[in-house]
Amino acid sequence: MHRIKLSISLLLIALLSVNAQRPKKPNSSEILESIQKLNVLASVLYVAAHPDDENTRLISYMSNEVKARTAYLSLTRGDGGQNLIGSEIRELLGIMRTQELLAARGVDGGEQRFTRANDFGYSKHPDETLSIWNKDDVLADVVWSIRQFKPDIIINRFDHRRSGRTHGHHTSSAMLSLEAFDLVNDKTKYPSQLEYTQIWEPKRIFYNTSWWRYGSREAFDKIDKSNMASFDVGVYYPLKGLSNNEVASIASSQHLCQGFGRVTNRGSQEEYIEFLKGKALDGDNPFAGIDISWNRIEGGKAIEDILKPIEENFNFSNPSVHLSQLVKAYQMLQNVENEHWKTIKSKELIAIIEACAGLYLEVSASSPTATKNEAINLRIEALNRSETNIKLISYKMTSLEDTILKNIQLSANNRINLEEGITIPNNINYTSAYWLNKKGTLGMYSVEDQRLIGKPETPRAVNVTFNLNIENVLIPITKPVVYRYSKPDKGELYRPFEIVPPVSASLRDKVFIFENDQQKDIEVVIKAGKDNIEGFVQMAYPNDWSVYPEKQKIKIENKGDAQTLVFTFIPPKNQSEGLITPMVNLDGEFYTKELIEIDYNHIPFQTVYLPSESKLVRLNIQKRGNNIGYIEGAGDVVPESLQQIGYNVTIIKPENISADNLSEFDAIVIGIRAYNILDELKFKQKFLLEYVKDGGNMVVQYNTSRGIKVDNIAPFDLTLSRDRVTDENAEMRILQPNHPLLNFPNKITQKDFEGWVQERGLYFPNKWSNEYTSLFSANDKGESPKTGSLLIAKYGKGNYIYTGLSFFREFPAGVSGAYRLFANMLSAGKEKVPNKKLND
């Protein structure tokens, strides 16, 4: 379990402590808010590029003040960013950020959608972005989202007119949204989508502008705003006891892996949207000329006549008095021909009926996981906490062909406990993130099922639909099967119930570095997804390597238990790279995936199955020194990577930094963004600089240019900037070929920069004093050279090194040149150390 410190309001802490699997139990105020929303037939789609791009103030305003159905379309899942609370990057970071977005929508009342675009990292121009993403596929997904969601208005977070002046993903999201606006009503565009949805015509599209777009509040005040609508998004909600901007701040704070935990805001605050295209704007109402009442659908007026009085005369002390009218409205809604609104409003009405009746329906499995053909016991709890006449007629389970008849009267507050045994069908899919099931490209995830595209999660495979007779009307309520359990120190907990393979195989590390030609033992952990696993394991590995034994037997009696095997790998004499995969054979079928669990307090427990694959690197590397002190910043695997090449790495807690306990180390490494997130370093920096002055060697990895916690990040003047080189293949020009750092103990050449991933580096210094020596120059196409990627300065008897090169990305990818260059940085100043053991 990762432990994170939250310095935010008590309310936010309370919200974060509510696990997302826990059943929702709306109170009377929340029920009334749902009824208010039920009586508004309006939709808003907000479009941007990444998790945390969304303006939660505006999403919350549209959802909670306008009462419109509001969704955020994030073109990516944020896979290319950094993780401030753990070591997950790339696909696993995308899983986390997806869940944080869902948590944010759970606060601000919105819905969440995506495209298949993969966040491949920072992009400086939409031309690059759209070539890597595959423009037509992402445009198709935006059209698909609009056709499915059917928004009345679309609001872009970014300006489509700012190509090259901001993140290429940002501008691309606006460009694609604007282009899709003109295509969604054309039957000839992406006609295959029309098998599952219909064409649509949004009425208007806007750009969510602000003063920052114009450089200052003063400049914004002077512009012509006749083409804009504005809202005070600081409105107060008595039913919540919160203002809109407080709700928005809490929603934004769900993005914890991006460091978005923040204090709440309150008070009047103007928000602006600029009209771009569609039906001409008339005043400040973006819905002008659009009927957003029940009158917009045939037969809706009669339903409104039932529901409006409930809203106006809601009984807070006994919401169940409204059940007969709510059920009547539901019955009438089933005769409406507009399938889109019938589906949406039926779902809303069922949830309101369930809440007003105080119905509690839960299906909990006896185990958090099951595999195909496995028998599982289900515990069913049904409770009616009202005086309303409710009967459980039957229920239908995913795995059963027949409906199970019950005809049980649910009398007031009398809990019914039932048990059912089911066998998981063989044709059911394993629980997995659907966008990761098939290998994609650098810019796109591969999803073959059109109906899955855009969904935030894979739909749960095992559900139970309860058929209830409420006020003589049959109403279906579907619940996913969950796993409910307790821990003495945490109380009641929930996990999703998941379908898993019978066995999984994992390797300890994603990269195994062989710094010489000596053999190494590599552990393979085999975990059973069911009882009585028996088979054998063999390794897939590169041809020029050797491994023994060739096969090993496995036998695991109990589900959830694991067996560890050790395979010995012998590297070739010369430098070599390749991939290894453990292959588990059960009854002639091979299983090659690993189980990855993501467990944080603020998001639901996540189980991910990915190909079990690690990289072998036979590396020609030399080094000086042995003991490295590492001060962790944001999550990375640099310490583990340094251990791979033979260093003894000690994690130093900031509070333990002192002159005495630093002197034992051959070098100190500062983790990524440590000076952005560790308040303690403000008081400990003097000890670190004294360590360098006394002869130590300190390597500082990148920090962002904003939010530095220390007064002086370096011993001499050094100014961080937003300079970065995003092209991982950009030429790295060596400025000082004879400098010791580039020659000892490894000769660094252009070859060491081959095979880098995602980027060269980020947040380079752009100004520094004469004490520093710049070693490299690089730039993206069409830009001026950036020379701040690696700086070294002699300070006293030691060496201070600052680098924005992205070692935190290169190490997990097994980039050999990155290891060689880092070894040289750690060895700086040790040229005269006796060469007793070159690799000590």
Side-chain angles (χ1 to χ4, degrees), residues 307-462:
L307 295 177
K308 268 296 181 183
I310 298 176
E311 178 184 339
E312 294 165 357
N313 302 287
F314 183 71
N315 189 322
F316 282 90
S317 61
N318 185 14
S320 66
V321 301
H322 302 298
L323 279 171
S324 61
Q325 292 299 97
L326 289 168
V327 169
K328 183 179 179 181
Y330 172 81
Q331 195 173 26
M332 293 174 66
L333 182 58
Q334 304 319 298
N335 298 319
V336 167
E337 292 185 2
N338 188 310
E339 288 296 327
H340 174 69
W341 283 112
K342 179 167 74 173
T343 300
I344 293 167
K345 293 303 177 181
S346 291
K347 182 179 179 181
E348 291 179 14
L349 253 174
I350 288 174
I352 292 169
I353 290 168
E354 181 182 359
C356 284
L359 268 172
Y360 189 84
L361 301 169
E362 181 180 276
V363 186
S364 178
S366 54
S367 169
T369 64
T371 194
K372 296 178 181 181
N373 295 318
E374 182 177 354
I376 289 289
N377 292 323
L378 301 180
R379 299 185 298 272
I380 299 172
E381 181 179 339
L383 177 63
N384 167 23
R385 289 173 285 193
S386 73
E387 298 295 334
T388 302
N389 181 26
I390 300 176
K391 180 180 283 190
L392 173 60
I393 302 299
S394 62
Y395 44 73
K396 177 75 168 65
M397 297 188 181
T398 300
S399 61
L400 302 180
E401 293 184 6
D402 299 324
T403 298
I404 300 173
L405 295 175
K406 286 298 176 182
N407 287 316
I408 298 174
Q409 189 70 38
L410 301 182
S411 56
N413 215 29
N414 181 26
R415 184 180 64 194
I416 302 296
N417 290 320
L418 303 169
E419 289 194 6
E420 293 288 348
I422 66 168
T423 299
I424 304 301
N426 194 49
N427 61 353
I428 204 167
N429 292 326
Y430 295 128
T431 302
S432 180
Y434 69 86
W435 62 96
L436 299 178
N437 284 341
K438 186 177 179 181
K439 189 174 180 62
T441 65
L442 173 65
M444 296 295 297
Y445 285 119
S446 178
V447 182
E448 294 179 345
D449 188 342
Q450 179 67 53
R451 293 165 295 183
L452 287 175
I453 293 173
K455 291 183 181 295
E457 299 180 284
T458 305
R460 287 292 159 191
V462 185

Side-chain angles (χ1 to χ4, degrees), residues 93-219:
L93 180 59
I95 295 281
M96 289 180 61
R97 291 190 169 180
T98 293
Q99 292 301 319
E100 289 182 341
L101 275 173
L102 290 171
R105 300 294 79 77
V107 173
D108 61 34
E111 301 176 31
Q112 187 61 51
R113 297 191 65 83
F114 295 96
T115 74
R116 288 170 292 173
N118 189 347
D119 178 3
F120 56 84
Y122 192 87
S123 177
K124 293 182 177 178
H125 200 281
D127 288 350
E128 178 198 43
T129 299
L130 295 174
S131 65
I132 295 176
W133 273 355
N134 188 334
K135 177 188 174 183
D136 192 62
D137 285 348
V138 184
L139 178 60
D141 291 357
V142 177
V143 169
W144 168 252
S145 287
I146 297 172
R147 284 174 172 172
Q148 277 203 313
F149 190 74
K150 295 180 169 45
D152 296 310
I153 65 171
I154 298 171
I155 303 174
N156 291 341
R157 177 55 164 159
F158 299 106
D159 191 345
H160 62 286
R161 299 157 293 201
R162 290 179 60 80
S163 292
R165 287 178 283 177
T166 182
H167 198 323
H169 297 182
H170 292 171
T171 310
S172 295
S173 71
M175 293 167 61
L176 291 170
S177 176
L178 198 63
E179 187 172 349
F181 182 84
D182 294 327
L183 301 180
V184 292
N185 199 35
D186 187 342
K187 291 182 179 180
T188 68
K189 305 300 182 183
Y190 310 110
S192 62
Q193 296 180 0
L194 302 181
E195 180 181 352
Y196 306 107
T197 189
Q198 307 81 35
I199 58 173
W200 181 246
E201 185 177 11
K203 295 301 184 292
R204 298 183 181 95
I205 186 168
F206 298 89
Y207 158 50
N208 183 195
T209 190
S210 180
W211 65 265
W212 45 259
R213 162 66 176 80
Y214 296 88
S216 68
R217 296 183 187 276
E218 293 74 19

Side-chain angles (χ1 to χ4, degrees), residues 287-308:
F287 296 95
I290 306 171
D291 190 344
I292 62 173
S293 73
W294 278 101
N295 288 323
R296 79 180 293 170
I297 63 173
E298 186 176 350
K301 181 62 169 64
I303 298 173
E304 182 180 62
D305 289 343
I306 294 173
L307 295 177
K308 268 296 181 183

